[in-house]
Amino acid sequence: LGAPDRGRTNEPERFISMPRSPRTRLTPILRPMSVTATAPAILPKANDACWCGSGRKYKRCHKKSEGRVLPGVVTPMRSVPDTIARPSYAETGEVVAWDEPRIKSSDTIQAMRHAGKVAAEVLRLAGDMVAPGVTTEEIDIYVHDLFVERGAYPSTINYHGYPKACCTSVNEVICHGIPDSRPLQDDDICNIDVTGWIGGVHGDTNATFFVGDVDPESRQLVRVTEECTWYGIEAVKPGRPLSDIGRAIEDHAKKYRYGVVRAFVGHGIGEQFHTDIQVLHYYDSRASVIMRPGMTFTIEPMITLGAINFKIWDDDWTAVTADGKRTAQFEHTILVTDDEPEVLTGGEGAASPVAPWKR
Ligand code: MF3
Ligand code: CO
Ligand code: CO
């Protein structure tokens, strides 16, 4: 690029690429799009002129960022005190899987009841912190300290290199959002997913929270997603295949024409964060594993207002809907018993304690 007016105007070096007189240029200058003006309530169509007056098409200007969650700054991983026992991947970030029985011993079940309770309490307290202006990093620091105070290792820290004590997934973020410097905004929905490792086992739970005043469309999405999760839980019965869970979830989501994300699934859990069992949130006859008393797994449907196609941010973690429409999720860790399932991360004091129709 040329620097037409230098010398004559005596401008400092840094203005070389921003000349005063674009008429003298042979190549067009891309002016930065306005970041100070705010978008109108009704946005232009993709090929119409942008609302900001840049003269560019809306799709070439503000459309890409508008109304979307933008990545903030992620601070370095925080350490966990040496007094807290840690899982094997904590040092290296490498997860080495081993064979773990699908049917847990009574000792493991006892430990998982405790881990579930701790995770549930941390999730509820973290949810109480959700408000406009609070950054997801502030929530993460709180979650980290709550786990440590309870003698638990925040399972996500250094799990496959993941840097934080929880996942915070806002609006169109499906899951695995990394807490960062972005302040929550009025009308956001924010999922917090917490997992704690204590007594040698993991407890994994999440819920979607409202930030200030949330629009009715999003409120319904969150309500129905919680219902989907509990319909899935009610489908847990010994002797039945795991596919019953996905069917129950999908049937409910369909009534509202919502999408059910397929790319991320529930999982077996115990001494390991993720074991071989896969819990699909949609119906597939191939999900033929029979539920047996003593099995433990998560149910964690991600439900979308629009399509279920997804993209991953450059951080290699954050999964977002491709269409930018909102998505919600709830998660519980479940124990199959001879009769009703035991919701290890539910009960009194949990963010989603029992099925909505039972409270
Ligand atoms: N808690 C998530 C789940 O429900 C997993 C997060 S793993 C992380 O399975 F590495 F992204 F933190
Ligand atoms: Co999980
Ligand atoms: Co989780």
Side-chain angles (χ1 to χ4, degrees), residues 45-168:
K45 294 248 188 303
N47 283 309
D48 291 352
C50 189
W51 56 263
C52 76
S54 65
R56 289 202 292 278
K57 287 183 175 182
Y58 179 53
K59 70 179 179 192
R60 299 257 171 264
C61 195
H62 275 87
K63 184 170 187 288
K64 278 190 213 84
S65 65
E66 211 127 79
R68 300 226 179 179
V69 174
L70 298 177
V73 175
V74 177
T75 57
M77 197 180 282
R78 296 175 79 222
S79 62
V80 176
D82 284 335
T83 50
I84 307 273
R86 57 197 64 223
S88 55
Y89 57 80
E91 299 306 328
T92 61
E94 255 163 76
V95 178
V96 182
W98 69 90
D99 257 322
E100 179 177 342
R102 286 179 172 177
I103 313 287
K104 307 306 183 200
S105 70
S106 56
D107 280 358
T108 300
I109 289 170
Q110 263 315 109
M112 288 188 73
R113 286 194 175 106
H114 183 61
K117 263 222 150 338
V118 168
E121 190 190 8
V122 170
L123 177 62
R124 205 243 313 141
L125 291 169
D128 289 344
M129 190 174 168
V130 169
V134 175
T135 67
T136 49
E137 163 159 46
E138 286 163 349
I139 294 171
D140 178 71
I141 291 170
Y142 189 46
V143 165
H144 183 114
D145 294 344
L146 288 169
F147 272 129
V148 166
E149 278 168 23
R150 286 157 180 75
Y153 180 90
S155 306
T156 54
I157 295 183
N158 216 16
Y159 188 72
H160 292 287
Y162 186 85
K164 294 291 164 188
C166 62
C167 301
T168 50

Side-chain angles (χ1 to χ4, degrees), residues 156 159 162 167 176 193 195 204 267 273-274 300 317 331:
T156 54
Y159 188 72
Y162 186 85
C167 301
H176 302 165
D193 189 343
T195 311
D204 187 6
H267 50 92
F273 197 164
H274 298 91
E300 47 181 309
W317 282 106
E331 173 177 30

